[in-house]
Amino acid sequence: MRITVLAGGIGAARFLRGLLAHLHATVPGAEVTVVGNTGDDITLFGLHVSPDLDTVMYTLGGGIHPDQGWGRADETRAVQDELGAYGEPPDWFALGDKDIATHLVRTRMLREGATLSEATAALCARWQPGVTLLPMTDDPVTTRVDIEDPNGVLRTVHFQEYWVRLHAEPAALKIRFEGAEESRPAPGVLTAIAEADVIVFPPSNPVVSVGAILAVPGIRSAVAAATAPVVGVSPIIGGAPVRGMADKVLAAIGVETSAAAVALHYGPDLLDGWLVDTADAAAAETVAAAGIASRAVPLRMTDVDATAAMAAAALELVRRPEQ
Ligand code: GDP
Ligand code: CA
């Protein structure tokens, strides 16, 4: 069985850990391809940082900081402290010492002419995440957010500045995927979608994670045209994101923060199935009425076993009799 997952960072990485645990126990030889969001990528001190790709790679490779859900375990920050002593901004984006090694390798390869796909494969050779991790594109795509600053002046900021420095406190007026229109899917992405047996939208941010991936020309139409069923897992439980500020970016695109509204936003053109939490059982009826199979099951990724059960329920929801 081939499974292709459109992934953001923490929500996706934790879900993938459960999906792999489920597959190892039940589906020998299953192959998982992860198409990762690179709209969050940022250049800091000349280093190319790919936060979502790294979160997936570290989580599945056993190097993630377990509580934070991003960055390396047992991390130190000597470099950033030294930079601070020089008065070098930014200090709002954490760059741990071990993490910097990853960005150095990636940046060195890119500077020598490698693609982001090639750099990602080289980094994964160390981490062995147990999936094929592909960036959504090798071209530069940058997620930017339009906000009004405290003086009422319209400003456009990098997504990381909005999310990490500003904690998504100003209302997001518009989300832009700069460069997306000219970007092409990375090698292997369209094939992984076309040849999948199941396509999964994990509980990732629908706007800035999955939305950014779908903004790369060709990816949305490939998902819509895929022969495989597409199943999603709601990142929204009881009208709020489980973690983070997804409500702020959903508001920017005029979508209510609810499990049903997110499913309808993707729509029956993309989705065949949508899991909601047991707290949102009523949403399952709304979603089913729109032509998307839906079921309410516990969706909190409290540990690997609970997450594996979620993944099993997602695959079961869209299982076709011949499989
Ligand atoms: P990011 O790039 O690190 O923000 O990560 P993603 O886009 O992959 O995932 C963020 C989403 O994960 C948020 O909208 C959260 O609501 C969702 N999320 C985090 N933990 C859980 C959980 O335990 N259950 C569910 N259903 N969603 C979760
Ligand atoms: Ca992200």
Side-chain angles (χ1 to χ4, degrees):
M1 179 157 61
R2 283 164 299 185
I3 302 179
T4 297
V5 182
L6 306 193
I10 300 178
R14 290 192 169 155
F15 178 82
L16 283 162
R17 197 166 47 188
L19 174 68
L20 291 182
H22 167 67
L23 293 173
H24 288 154
T26 59
V27 190
E31 288 171 23
V32 178
T33 301
V34 176
V35 177
N37 171 38
T38 59
D40 293 14
D41 287 20
I42 186 166
T43 303
L44 296 168
F45 301 104
L47 300 179
H48 185 112
V49 182
S50 297
D52 285 358
L53 295 178
D54 288 349
T55 294
V56 170
M57 182 176 77
Y58 292 156
T59 301
L60 301 183
I64 199 78
H65 188 294
D67 305 325
Q68 275 173 194
W70 53 268
R72 293 289 311 279
D74 304 317
E75 186 58 293
T76 52
R77 46 169 286 157
V79 172
Q80 198 158 26
D81 287 348
E82 286 296 304
L83 289 168
Y86 287 112
E88 287 283 330
D91 56 6
W92 49 265
F93 193 94
L95 283 176
D97 298 330
K98 292 180 180 178
D99 198 28
I100 285 172
T102 302
H103 312 319
L104 283 168
V105 173
R106 175 185 295 118
T107 306
R108 193 261 306 153
M109 289 190 67
L110 293 173
R111 206 172 36 230
E112 290 173 1
T115 62
L116 184 59
S117 296
E118 289 163 345
T120 304
L123 295 168
C124 285
R126 171 187 175 191
W127 289 103
Q128 297 289 318
V131 300
T132 302
L133 178 60
L134 305 176
M136 65 190 196
T137 178
D138 283 335
D139 301 319
V141 173
T142 304
T143 303
R144 296 193 191 275
V145 185
D146 288 358
I147 58 167
E148 208 177 83
D149 77 8
N151 304 319
V153 178
L154 201 68
R155 278 216 303 144
T156 301
V157 296
H158 190 289
F159 171 73
Q160 297 295 354
E161 185 175 357
Y162 180 68
W163 208 247
V164 181
R165 186 172 82 82
L166 300 172
H167 307 291
E169 273 156 20
L173 306 176
K174 191 169 177 24
I175 311 295
R176 302 172 189 276
F177 303 115
E178 198 180 275
E181 281 172 26
E182 301 80 46
S183 71
R184 287 152 305 156
V189 167
L190 295 182
T191 309
I193 293 169
E195 294 183 354
D197 296 306
V198 184
I199 296 166
V200 181
F201 292 5
S204 279
N205 188 306
V207 185
V208 293
S209 293
V210 180
I213 299 169
L214 294 173
V216 176
I219 295 188
R220 172 185 292 273
S221 52
V223 172
T227 50
V230 182
V231 62
V233 179
S234 179
I236 307 297
I237 298 182
V242 179
R243 227 184 119 117
M245 299 77 76
D247 48 319
K248 302 304 285 274
V249 289
L250 281 166
I253 61 163
V255 174
E256 185 190 86
T257 302
S258 73
V262 171
L264 301 183
H265 163 65
Y266 288 132
D269 285 357
L270 290 181
L271 288 179
D272 297 288
W274 184 247
L275 282 187
V276 302
D277 187 73
T278 44
D280 297 311
E285 290 171 34
T286 311
V287 173
I292 301 166
S294 189
R295 210 184 136 202
V297 298
L299 287 190
R300 289 188 192 273
M301 299 188 282
T302 44
D303 57 34
V304 175
D305 286 349
T307 312
M310 279 167 56
L315 298 181
E316 180 60 29
L317 184 63
V318 294
R319 197 168 62 92
R320 290 176 180 162
E322 69 271 23
Q323 280 172 7

